[in-house]
Amino acid sequence: MTTTRTLPQAFRRFRRLRRSEALRGLVRETRLSPQDFVYPLFVAHGDNLRREIESMPGQHQLSLDQLAAEAEELRSLGIPAVLLFGLPAAKDDAGSEAYDPDGIVQRAVRTLKQAAPDLVVITDVCLCEYTSHGHCGVVVDGPDGQAEVDNDETLPLLARTAVSHAQAGADVVAPSDMMDGRVAAIRQALDEAGFAATPIMAYAAKQASAFYGPFRVAAESAPQFGDRRGYQMDPANAREALLEIEADIEEGADIVMVKPALPNLDIIARARQEFDLPLAAYNVSGEYAMVKAAAAAGYLDERLVTLEVLTAIKRAGADIIITYHAKEVAKWLSGPRLSS
Ligand SMILES: [Zn+2]
């Protein structure tokens, strides 16, 4: 007995355009490019230092003498920008190496700009890598006797840090501390110091996220007491994230950032719809480490998963993706096209 199949008169055959990689490529809506990427670098004192970060396979702490080669590699891969994090020689309560004109980041900026003038050098502006307590601002005794990070006492130190980075030659400064009013304070300080042309990329919606764990190993910046929930955002809040972004734009941010990226694709998409400034997303250390660990265990295809993750971040609306995968992805993108 034969069964008669009746098909609807007309239905859309989406599969027509999926018949070959060439066709799929022709109608692809979202394309990754090395030009989308910012590559984070961890710079440290010392000589000939290239220390792999255990929790972030393939990423290293680098001494200054390693930076010229790093910049050359990035140039050859078409990656236009780096984001610098520093490991100071010593930490203190006030995080003083953060704003030392001869601090590790300031020296790294000078080294990179000399070696590769065209490379966009973005500096992370915060105190947590430099403070002995590991918090992002000045710690005081609060009204209840508990230690807390004082917002307004922190602002001048952040502003001073940003100005010192601009003086060293930074192309963009990127405050990541989540103090209220820091973008306005930094903008004013930059303008007064003669750096009206230096843009600010604000970590605008930065959540208190467990995905930062591997980074804190890399930057040696874990808080020594408490956590950062008193200043970083509650990951449960999306409307507040948009208010944070709006506030940073009003204070003078030139680029706004959502961090971490993967758990916040909804916020990236909403920010893209609501605001017209360039939007960055930080594909953070934990997101990177998960892919690396699963790939090492043979659970995932590293290349396909990485490309899928970064494509999703771009599709959600990010113009700029800060990612530890930048170099490997740039290599893959310049190689033969994916067939699966
Ligand atoms: Zn910080």
Side-chain angles (χ1 to χ4, degrees), residues 83-85 105 122-130 161 165 172-176 203 206 215 259:
L83 175 59
L84 293 186
F85 297 92
V105 162
I122 308 172
T123 54
D124 180 82
V125 174
C126 200
L127 301 182
C128 54
E129 291 137 55
Y130 306 92
T161 303
H165 292 175
V172 181
V173 293
S176 63
Y203 289 64
K206 179 180 177 181
F215 172 93
K259 180 184 179 184

Side-chain angles (χ1 to χ4, degrees), residues 7 15 25 41 51 61-62 66 80-81 119 138 160 188 233 259 326 339:
L7 291 171
R15 293 181 55 191
L41 286 179
R51 186 188 299 136
Q61 295 175 345
L62 301 171
Q66 305 291 307
L119 182 71
V138 177
R160 194 169 158 191
Q188 186 184 350
M233 279 196 58
K259 180 184 179 184
S339 57

Side-chain angles (χ1 to χ4, degrees), residues 15-48:
R15 293 181 55 191
R16 284 179 190 135
L17 297 178
R18 296 175 191 158
R19 287 171 58 83
S20 72
E21 176 52 27
L23 259 178
R24 291 191 292 271
L26 202 59
V27 298
R28 187 160 292 132
E29 299 174 30
T30 307
R31 292 172 206 278
L32 288 173
S33 158
Q35 289 178 297
D36 303 327
F37 300 148
V38 174
Y39 185 60
L41 286 179
F42 300 96
V43 289
H45 293 277
D47 295 312
N48 211 14

Side-chain angles (χ1 to χ4, degrees), residues 1 8 27 29 43 94 97 108 124 141 147 153 164 167 176 182 201 212 235 240 256 271 278 281 287 339:
M1 199 179 116
V27 298
E29 299 174 30
V43 289
E97 194 176 319
D124 180 82
D141 287 331
E153 274 193 45
S164 76
Q167 284 167 337
S176 63
R182 80 276 166 73
M201 177 169 80
Y212 306 152
E240 186 191 359
V256 286
E287 298 169 54
S339 57

Side-chain angles (χ1 to χ4, degrees), residues 3-339:
T3 53
T4 314
R5 286 181 302 161
T6 31
L7 291 171
Q9 280 300 308
F11 58 94
R12 188 175 290 276
R13 289 192 183 273
F14 290 100
R15 293 181 55 191
R16 284 179 190 135
L17 297 178
R18 296 175 191 158
R19 287 171 58 83
S20 72
E21 176 52 27
L23 259 178
R24 291 191 292 271
L26 202 59
V27 298
R28 187 160 292 132
E29 299 174 30
T30 307
R31 292 172 206 278
L32 288 173
S33 158
Q35 289 178 297
D36 303 327
F37 300 148
V38 174
Y39 185 60
L41 286 179
F42 300 96
V43 289
H45 293 277
D47 295 312
N48 211 14
L49 177 81
R50 190 174 178 83
R51 186 188 299 136
E52 187 165 30
I53 299 156
E54 197 185 341
S55 53
M56 300 171 68
Q59 307 303 312
H60 301 81
Q61 295 175 345
L62 301 171
S63 52
L64 297 173
D65 48 38
Q66 305 291 307
L67 295 181
E70 196 72 22
E72 173 53 29
E73 187 187 5
L74 293 168
R75 190 199 59 74
S76 73
L77 292 170
I79 297 165
V82 292
L83 175 59
L84 293 186
F85 297 92
L87 291 102
K91 302 184 187 229
D92 58 35
D93 271 2
S96 47
E97 194 176 319
Y99 37 88
D100 181 343
D102 212 27
I104 187 66
V105 162
Q106 291 82 353
R107 292 175 66 192
V109 171
R110 290 195 290 268
T111 304
L112 281 167
K113 291 308 292 184
Q114 196 168 22
D118 293 338
L119 182 71
V120 177
V121 176
I122 308 172
T123 54
D124 180 82
V125 174
C126 200
L127 301 182
C128 54
E129 291 137 55
Y130 306 92
T131 50
S132 42
H133 45 69
H135 279 285
C136 301
V138 177
V139 172
V140 298
D141 287 331
D144 54 2
Q146 295 280 319
E148 63 175 37
V149 174
D150 189 289
N151 192 87
D152 297 8
E153 274 193 45
T154 303
L155 299 182
L157 297 184
L158 295 168
R160 194 169 158 191
T161 303
V163 169
S164 76
H165 292 175
Q167 284 167 337
D171 295 296
V172 181
V173 293
S176 63
D177 52 281
M178 291 302 280
M179 299 300 122
D180 294 317
R182 80 276 166 73
V183 174
I186 290 170
R187 185 71 272 158
Q188 186 184 350
L190 287 171
D191 291 355
E192 286 171 4
F195 296 102
T198 301
I200 297 173
M201 177 169 80
Y203 289 64
K206 179 180 177 181
Q207 297 173 341
S209 169
F211 284 99
Y212 306 152
F215 172 93
R216 289 179 187 163
V217 175
E220 300 171 8
S221 63
Q224 299 303 302
F225 66 88
D227 56 36
R228 296 192 175 129
R229 290 173 192 274
Y231 40 104
Q232 295 178 347
M233 279 196 58
D234 183 339
N237 297 354
R239 294 191 303 270
E240 186 191 359
L242 297 177
L243 290 172
E244 279 276 11
I245 294 170
E246 186 177 34
D248 281 4
I249 293 173
E250 283 169 0
E251 289 178 35
D254 301 280
I255 300 170
V256 286
M257 190 206 296
V258 175
K259 180 184 179 184
L262 212 45
N264 288 309
L265 296 180
D266 59 326
I267 292 172
I268 295 171
R270 288 175 69 176
R272 173 74 296 149
Q273 284 185 343
E274 280 202 32
F275 307 109
D276 288 328
L277 254 58
L279 180 62
Y282 201 140
N283 173 224
V284 301
S285 58
E287 298 169 54
Y288 174 84
M290 286 195 304
V291 172
K292 288 288 173 185
Y299 298 159
L300 287 175
D301 181 316
E302 181 174 359
R303 184 166 95 147
L304 293 177
V305 164
T306 302
L307 289 168
E308 195 173 325
V309 164
L310 298 186
T311 301
I313 294 168
K314 185 165 181 181
R315 192 197 64 221
D319 302 298
I320 298 166
I321 304 172
I322 302 158
T323 179
Y324 303 98
H325 294 292
K327 291 201 286 192
E328 56 200 8
V329 174
K331 286 173 198 159
W332 297 337
L333 290 174
S334 67
R337 290 218 53 90
L338 294 175
S339 57

